[in-house]
Each structure stands twice: as structure tokens, then as C-alpha cells.
Amino acid sequence: MAGLSLEHIGKTYPNGYEGVKDFNLEIADKEFIIFVGPSGCGKSTTLRMVAGLEDITSGTLKIDGRVVNDVEPKDRDIAMVFQNYALYPHMTVYENMAFPMRLRKAPQEEIDKMVHEAARILDLEKLLDRKPSALSGGQRQRVAMGRAIARQPKVFLMDEPLSNLDAKLRVQMRAEISKLHDRLGATIIYVTHDQTEAMTLGTRIVVMKDGVMQQVDTPAKLYAEPCNLFVAGFIGSPQMNFIDATVGEAAGKVTLTFGKNTITVPDSKAAALKAYKGKVVVLGIRPEDVIEEHEYAEGKTLTETIDANVTVYELLGSEAMIYGDVDGGSISAHISATNPVRTGSRIKVAFDADKIHVFDKQTELAIVH
């Protein structure tokens, strides 16, 4: 396996459109890196430049310390798993998995050994004689991965490999890929637009928007300390609540006011907000940190209560989501399924004061989190 270095990588198309701008990233050996972002953000383009399927307009790409900007894809020692499986319909599972090694003129004994080892890892041993048309979507995706594993490349590249699968299969395959990474100790770069996939799989996540890298961090750090409004809204499902609020001061404490509601900011977050007194900022709070009055818990520092009118109730099994209007904005919150609150309820909520995020309205950068 190997590490990668992407130094000032850029992609500009003939019409002048910049698909990727000044992308810098060091990927350690055996790391599982996720590129995540909305459609058109440049994540697949970046992956394809690593694979050699797209020319690099500017910057330097190194794999295992070797500059590969002008190296052919077949000579980069990478394997790619595509969204549409890319299996040969006339070949059996065995032949599909063996094909890349046959191209490299590997000895038959080595091909046989590597194909059966990959099949064992992915539980495909009983399917080696079948054609792709006789396989389910999940089985086809496992064959595509098996083909990559059998090659034993330095780097695995995966471009939205689960997006064609149904929800249940996606969950199963996420677990398979995670186990695969642990078992192979492989360097993996994985592209997805699904932030749940990103949060559950990656050792580090690269969040992209409009061809620009927004933040690179561990899943936990991205969730708890988003660097800007975009990352805060993109990471987390359902997304963070955002409310425009005015910074003020009362009884020596920093406050945030929206509509008729005023909440006091904890001292640990107050210092950074003093320079914003009288200005409008964006208050952010995740749905699980909005506490309905039936569920006030000891050990949490809660803000002043806020009146809300529930407009939507969604039962999700053991818990429910509520969406409601408050004076000056709207909120969503997690509640227990046993909570009596329903659509039309008038309720009181409070925020977990220690989990408040505040963003600059103009720059959209985080002020406190």
C-alpha cells in the first residue's frame, strides 16, 4: 500500500470552467479518506485525476513518493471501483476478477490464488461460475470490489460504489467495505454525496463545494466543530438548525435574540462574540440538542425556554422528529417516540447551551462551536 500527496491540484476545462481549485491533501498509508459534497463539487473529478482518467491542469500528484502526473492509469498501480460495477456481461465472476491480472500477464497459478482469496474475503466462492446477469446488485458490487482486491494495488479508488443499491443493501455493504479496509490495511479514497456513508466509513473526510476543499477532519471533529456554515449544514442528518440572531448584552452576559426570544450564551463561548455586539449572526443548533420540555435532562446546561408550534411530526421508530415554528425562525428536534407531542402541539423547548454554534453572517465562517 502507499500514501498519496496532492499538491495544488487544479482542473480547468477548455471553456475556462474550474472544476477543482488548488486542492492540497496528504493521505497517509492505509488511510480511508472520503471525498464528500453535493453534485458538481469536484469530488469525482479529483478522484479521476488520481486515477489518471482526467488530465491534471496544475499541481503535482505523487503516489508512494513518485510523481505520476503523466503516468498512464495502468502504470499507477491503482484499482478503481465504479458506480455502475463495470463488469463484462459475457464473462463469469471468476473471469471478471481475473481479467486485470491477465492483462498484466500474471502467471495462471498466481491469478487463481488471488481470485480465490478475494472471493473468500467477499463471500463470492459459490458464485465464481455465474455471469453478472445472474447476480443481485449487491453481489455485482462485491465482484467489482473483488476484481480490485485481486490486483493488490497500492491504492483503491471508489466512486460512489453504493449509490445504485437499495437502502438495506447500502447499510450491509458499508459494513463490508469497513471490514475490508481493516482486513486489507488498504489505502482507500472513496467518493460519495451521502454524508451518512462519509461519517460511518472514513478515518478522515474531505468536504468539498464548488471545486474548493472546505474542511478536512475526522468525522467526530467535522460534526462537533464545522469550520463554516456549509459544512455545518452538510454534515449531520437532519441538518443543523440555523436562525438569524442579534448579539446583545444583558446583566453582563452575552445574549442572542431572535424574534421575541433571547438566550444567554455560556461564558465559554461569550468572549468571541463580544466583537459582534449589535450585529446579526447565524445561530446553529443540531436537532438532538434542542430539548423539548418533557425531556429536560439533568447534567445539561439549558438556555431559556422558547415557545414553539409543531407543524410536522415524523415517527421514526424508537424516536421521532418534530418540526416547528418559533418567533424569529423555525426548528427541528429529536424527541422520544413516547413523548405525547404531535402536530399542532404548543410546546416549550430549550437549547443545550454547550452545543450552540455561531457563524459570521457575511463570511459564513464559524465564530464559536
Side-chain angles (χ1 to χ4, degrees), residues 145-210:
M145 287 179 187
R147 182 175 55 193
I149 292 165
R151 278 196 53 203
Q152 292 194 312
K154 286 182 176 176
V155 182
F156 289 89
L157 307 178
M158 300 187 180
D159 191 5
E160 306 217 28
L162 308 185
S163 59
N164 286 342
L165 305 180
D166 63 50
K168 185 179 177 184
L169 256 182
R170 274 206 303 274
V171 173
Q172 291 174 354
M173 287 302 296
R174 278 209 306 266
E176 290 293 327
I177 292 171
S178 192
K179 285 190 284 186
L180 202 59
H181 176 248
D182 292 338
R183 194 177 301 162
L184 298 176
T187 305
I188 300 176
I189 305 177
Y190 186 107
V191 162
T192 181
H193 64 272
D194 183 336
Q195 56 90 23
T196 304
E197 250 174 60
M199 293 292 284
T200 52
L201 283 173
T203 50
R204 278 195 304 159
I205 299 173
V206 179
V207 183
M208 296 183 69
K209 178 192 177 193
D210 298 334

Side-chain angles (χ1 to χ4, degrees), residues 89-108:
H90 63 288
M91 292 183 182
T92 64
V93 168
Y94 180 97
E95 290 164 343
N96 265 287
M97 290 168 68
F99 187 70
M101 289 183 289
R102 291 201 199 285
L103 284 181
R104 292 160 62 192
K105 296 184 168 53
Q108 180 57 40

Side-chain angles (χ1 to χ4, degrees), residues 255-275:
T255 60
L256 292 168
T257 300
F258 49 98
K260 297 174 183 174
N261 301 297
T262 297
I263 61 171
T264 303
V265 178
D267 292 341
S268 59
K269 299 176 185 282
L273 286 172
K274 285 183 178 174

Side-chain angles (χ1 to χ4, degrees), residues 10-176:
K11 176 67 181 179
T12 305
Y13 292 94
N15 64 1
Y17 173 70
E18 285 187 276
V20 178
K21 306 168 191 175
D22 197 27
F23 190 99
N24 291 279
L25 184 65
E26 294 291 327
I27 301 173
D29 185 23
K30 301 180 182 177
E31 196 167 9
F32 198 143
I33 285 279
I34 308 279
F35 292 171
V36 69
S39 297
C41 72
K43 56 190 186 295
S44 288
T45 303
T46 306
L47 190 79
R48 289 172 65 83
M49 285 193 284
V50 173
L53 302 176
E54 289 268 6
D55 292 332
I56 297 171
T57 308
S58 59
T60 304
L61 171 64
K62 295 177 184 175
I63 298 178
D64 205 11
R66 170 191 174 211
V67 177
V68 296
N69 286 46
D70 300 316
V71 175
E72 288 291 315
K74 64 184 176 62
D75 298 322
R76 295 191 181 194
D77 203 6
I78 53 97
M80 192 153 178
V81 179
F82 294 92
Q83 178 179 349
N84 61 356
Y85 321 135
L87 301 177
Y88 297 103
H90 63 288
M91 292 183 182
T92 64
V93 168
Y94 180 97
E95 290 164 343
N96 265 287
M97 290 168 68
F99 187 70
M101 289 183 289
R102 291 201 199 285
L103 284 181
R104 292 160 62 192
K105 296 184 168 53
Q108 180 57 40
E109 188 179 320
E110 181 188 334
I111 291 174
D112 204 52
K113 178 187 171 189
M114 296 312 302
V115 168
H116 278 93
E117 175 64 13
R120 184 188 61 78
I121 289 170
L122 290 163
D123 195 23
L124 293 169
E125 290 167 297
K126 295 177 182 176
L127 305 176
L128 289 174
D129 295 328
R130 291 195 194 178
K131 299 273 182 73
S133 59
L135 303 177
S136 68
Q139 288 169 335
R140 289 181 200 178
Q141 195 54 275
R142 295 214 308 272
V143 174
M145 287 179 187
R147 182 175 55 193
I149 292 165
R151 278 196 53 203
Q152 292 194 312
K154 286 182 176 176
V155 182
F156 289 89
L157 307 178
M158 300 187 180
D159 191 5
E160 306 217 28
L162 308 185
S163 59
N164 286 342
L165 305 180
D166 63 50
K168 185 179 177 184
L169 256 182
R170 274 206 303 274
V171 173
Q172 291 174 354
M173 287 302 296
R174 278 209 306 266
E176 290 293 327

